Coordinates of all heavy atoms in Angstrom, one line a residue:
A265 N -0.2 -46.7 -30.5 CA -0.6 -48.1 -30.3 C -2.1 -48.1 -30.1 O -2.7 -47.2 -29.5 CB 0.1 -48.6 -29.1
P266 N -2.8 -49.2 -30.6 CA -4.2 -49.3 -30.4 C -4.6 -49.3 -28.9 O -3.9 -49.9 -28.1 CB -4.6 -50.7 -31.0 CG -3.5 -50.9 -32.0 CD -2.2 -50.3 -31.4
L267 N -5.7 -48.7 -28.6 CA -6.1 -48.6 -27.2 C -6.9 -49.9 -26.8 O -7.8 -50.3 -27.6 CB -7.0 -47.4 -26.9 CG -6.3 -46.0 -27.3 CD1 -7.3 -44.9 -26.9 CD2 -5.0 -45.9 -26.5
C268 N -6.6 -50.5 -25.7 CA -7.4 -51.6 -25.2 C -8.6 -51.1 -24.5 O -8.5 -50.2 -23.7 CB -6.5 -52.5 -24.3 SG -5.1 -53.2 -25.1
E269 N -9.7 -51.7 -24.8 CA -11.0 -51.4 -24.1 C -11.4 -50.0 -24.4 O -12.3 -49.4 -23.7 CB -11.0 -51.7 -22.6 CG -10.7 -53.2 -22.3 CD -10.8 -53.4 -20.8 OE1 -10.8 -52.4 -20.0 OE2 -10.8 -54.6 -20.4
G270 N -10.8 -49.3 -25.3 CA -11.2 -47.9 -25.7 C -11.0 -46.9 -24.6 O -11.6 -45.8 -24.6
I271 N -10.0 -47.2 -23.7 CA -9.7 -46.2 -22.7 C -8.3 -45.6 -23.0 O -7.3 -46.4 -23.2 CB -9.7 -46.9 -21.3 CG1 -11.1 -47.5 -21.0 CG2 -9.3 -45.8 -20.2 CD1 -11.1 -48.2 -19.7
G272 N -8.2 -44.3 -23.0 CA -6.9 -43.6 -23.2 C -6.5 -42.6 -22.1 O -7.4 -41.9 -21.6
R273 N -5.3 -42.5 -21.8 CA -4.8 -41.6 -20.8 C -3.6 -40.8 -21.3 O -2.7 -41.4 -22.0 CB -4.5 -42.2 -19.5 CG -5.7 -43.0 -18.8 CD -5.3 -43.6 -17.6 NE -6.4 -44.4 -16.9 CZ -6.8 -45.6 -17.3 NH1 -6.1 -46.3 -18.2 NH2 -7.8 -46.2 -16.7
F274 N -3.5 -39.5 -21.1 CA -2.3 -38.7 -21.4 C -2.2 -37.5 -20.5 O -3.2 -37.2 -19.8 CB -2.3 -38.4 -22.9 CG -3.5 -37.4 -23.3 CD1 -3.3 -36.0 -23.3 CD2 -4.7 -37.9 -23.7 CE1 -4.3 -35.2 -23.7 CE2 -5.7 -37.1 -24.0 CZ -5.5 -35.7 -24.0
A275 N -1.1 -36.8 -20.6 CA -0.9 -35.6 -19.8 C -0.6 -34.4 -20.7 O 0.1 -34.5 -21.7 CB 0.2 -35.8 -18.8
I276 N -1.1 -33.3 -20.3 CA -0.8 -32.0 -21.0 C 0.2 -31.2 -20.2 O 0.1 -31.1 -18.9 CB -2.1 -31.2 -21.2 CG1 -3.1 -31.9 -22.0 CG2 -1.7 -29.8 -21.9 CD1 -4.4 -31.3 -22.1
V277 N 1.3 -30.7 -20.8 CA 2.2 -29.8 -20.2 C 2.1 -28.4 -20.7 O 2.3 -28.2 -21.9 CB 3.7 -30.4 -20.3 CG1 4.7 -29.4 -19.7 CG2 3.8 -31.8 -19.8
A278 N 1.8 -27.5 -19.9 CA 1.6 -26.1 -20.3 C 2.9 -25.3 -20.3 O 3.7 -25.4 -19.3 CB 0.6 -25.4 -19.4
R279 N 3.2 -24.6 -21.4 CA 4.4 -23.8 -21.5 C 4.0 -22.4 -22.0 O 3.0 -22.2 -22.7 CB 5.4 -24.4 -22.4 CG 6.0 -25.7 -21.9 CD 7.1 -26.3 -22.8 NE 7.8 -27.4 -22.3 CZ 7.4 -28.7 -22.3 NH1 6.2 -29.0 -22.9 NH2 8.1 -29.6 -21.7
D280 N 4.9 -21.4 -21.7 CA 4.7 -20.1 -22.2 C 5.2 -20.0 -23.6 O 5.7 -20.9 -24.2 CB 5.2 -19.0 -21.3 CG 6.7 -19.1 -21.2 OD1 7.4 -19.7 -22.0 OD2 7.3 -18.4 -20.2
A281 N 5.2 -18.8 -24.2 CA 5.6 -18.6 -25.6 C 7.1 -18.9 -25.8 O 7.5 -19.2 -26.9 CB 5.2 -17.2 -26.1
L282 N 7.9 -18.8 -24.8 CA 9.3 -19.0 -24.9 C 9.7 -20.5 -24.5 O 10.9 -20.8 -24.5 CB 10.1 -18.1 -24.0 CG 9.9 -16.6 -24.3 CD1 10.7 -15.7 -23.3 CD2 10.5 -16.3 -25.7
G283 N 8.7 -21.3 -24.2 CA 8.9 -22.7 -23.9 C 9.2 -23.0 -22.4 O 9.5 -24.1 -22.1
H284 N 9.0 -22.0 -21.6 CA 9.2 -22.3 -20.1 C 7.9 -23.0 -19.6 O 6.8 -22.6 -19.9 CB 9.4 -20.9 -19.3 CG 10.6 -20.2 -19.8 ND1 10.5 -18.9 -20.2 CD2 11.9 -20.5 -19.9 CE1 11.7 -18.4 -20.6 NE2 12.5 -19.4 -20.4
R285 N 8.2 -24.0 -18.7 CA 7.0 -24.6 -18.1 C 6.3 -23.6 -17.2 O 6.9 -22.9 -16.4 CB 7.5 -25.8 -17.3 CG 8.0 -27.0 -18.2 CD 8.2 -28.3 -17.5 NE 7.0 -28.7 -16.8 CZ 6.8 -30.0 -16.5 NH1 7.7 -30.9 -16.7 NH2 5.7 -30.4 -15.9
R286 N 5.0 -23.6 -17.2 CA 4.2 -22.7 -16.5 C 4.4 -22.8 -15.0 O 4.5 -21.8 -14.3 CB 2.7 -22.8 -16.8 CG 2.4 -22.3 -18.2 CD 2.0 -20.9 -18.1 NE 0.7 -20.7 -17.4 CZ 0.4 -19.7 -16.6 NH1 1.3 -18.7 -16.5 NH2 -0.7 -19.6 -16.0
G287 N 4.3 -24.0 -14.5 CA 4.5 -24.2 -13.0 C 3.3 -23.9 -12.2 O 3.3 -24.1 -11.0
V288 N 2.2 -23.4 -12.8 CA 1.0 -23.1 -12.1 C -0.2 -23.6 -13.0 O 0.0 -23.8 -14.2 CB 0.8 -21.6 -11.8 CG1 1.8 -21.1 -10.8 CG2 0.8 -20.8 -13.1
G289 N -1.3 -23.9 -12.4 CA -2.5 -24.4 -13.2 C -3.4 -23.3 -13.6 O -3.1 -22.1 -13.6
G290 N -4.6 -23.7 -13.9 CA -5.7 -22.7 -14.2 C -5.8 -22.4 -15.7 O -6.6 -21.5 -16.1
D291 N -5.1 -23.1 -16.6 CA -5.2 -22.8 -18.0 C -6.4 -23.5 -18.6 O -6.7 -24.6 -18.3 CB -3.9 -23.2 -18.7 CG -2.7 -22.5 -18.2 OD1 -2.7 -21.3 -18.1 OD2 -1.7 -23.2 -17.8
A292 N -7.0 -22.8 -19.6 CA -8.3 -23.3 -20.1 C -8.0 -24.2 -21.4 O -8.3 -23.8 -22.5 CB -9.2 -22.1 -20.5
F293 N -7.5 -25.4 -21.1 CA -7.3 -26.3 -22.2 C -8.7 -27.0 -22.5 O -9.4 -27.3 -21.6 CB -6.3 -27.4 -21.9 CG -4.9 -26.9 -21.9 CD1 -4.2 -26.5 -20.8 CD2 -4.2 -26.8 -23.1 CE1 -2.9 -26.0 -20.8 CE2 -2.9 -26.3 -23.2 CZ -2.3 -25.9 -22.0
A294 N -8.9 -27.3 -23.8 CA -10.1 -28.1 -24.2 C -9.7 -29.3 -24.9 O -8.9 -29.3 -25.8 CB -11.0 -27.2 -25.0
V295 N -10.3 -30.5 -24.5 CA -10.0 -31.7 -25.1 C -11.2 -32.3 -25.8 O -12.3 -32.4 -25.1 CB -9.4 -32.7 -24.1 CG1 -9.1 -34.1 -24.7 CG2 -8.2 -32.2 -23.4
T296 N -11.1 -32.7 -27.0 CA -12.2 -33.3 -27.8 C -11.8 -34.6 -28.5 O -10.7 -34.6 -29.1 CB -12.8 -32.3 -28.8 OG1 -13.0 -31.1 -28.2 CG2 -14.1 -32.8 -29.4
V297 N -12.6 -35.6 -28.4 CA -12.3 -36.9 -29.1 C -13.2 -37.0 -30.3 O -14.4 -37.2 -30.2 CB -12.5 -38.1 -28.1 CG1 -12.1 -39.4 -28.9 CG2 -11.7 -38.0 -26.8
V298 N -12.6 -36.7 -31.5 CA -13.3 -36.5 -32.7 C -13.2 -37.8 -33.5 O -12.1 -38.4 -33.7 CB -12.8 -35.3 -33.5 CG1 -13.6 -35.1 -34.8 CG2 -12.7 -34.1 -32.6
P299 N -14.4 -38.3 -34.1 CA -14.3 -39.6 -34.9 C -13.7 -39.3 -36.3 O -13.8 -38.2 -36.8 CB -15.8 -40.0 -35.0 CG -16.5 -38.7 -34.8 CD -15.7 -37.8 -33.9

Side-chain angles (χ1 to χ4, degrees):
L267 302 181
C268 296
E269 298 184 351
I271 302 175
R273 298 178 182 85
F274 65 92
I276 301 172
V277 178
R279 293 182 172 84
D280 64 15
L282 298 177
H284 302 124
R285 291 189 61 158
R286 286 268 294 145
V288 294
D291 299 310
F293 287 99
V295 179
T296 309
V297 183
V298 184

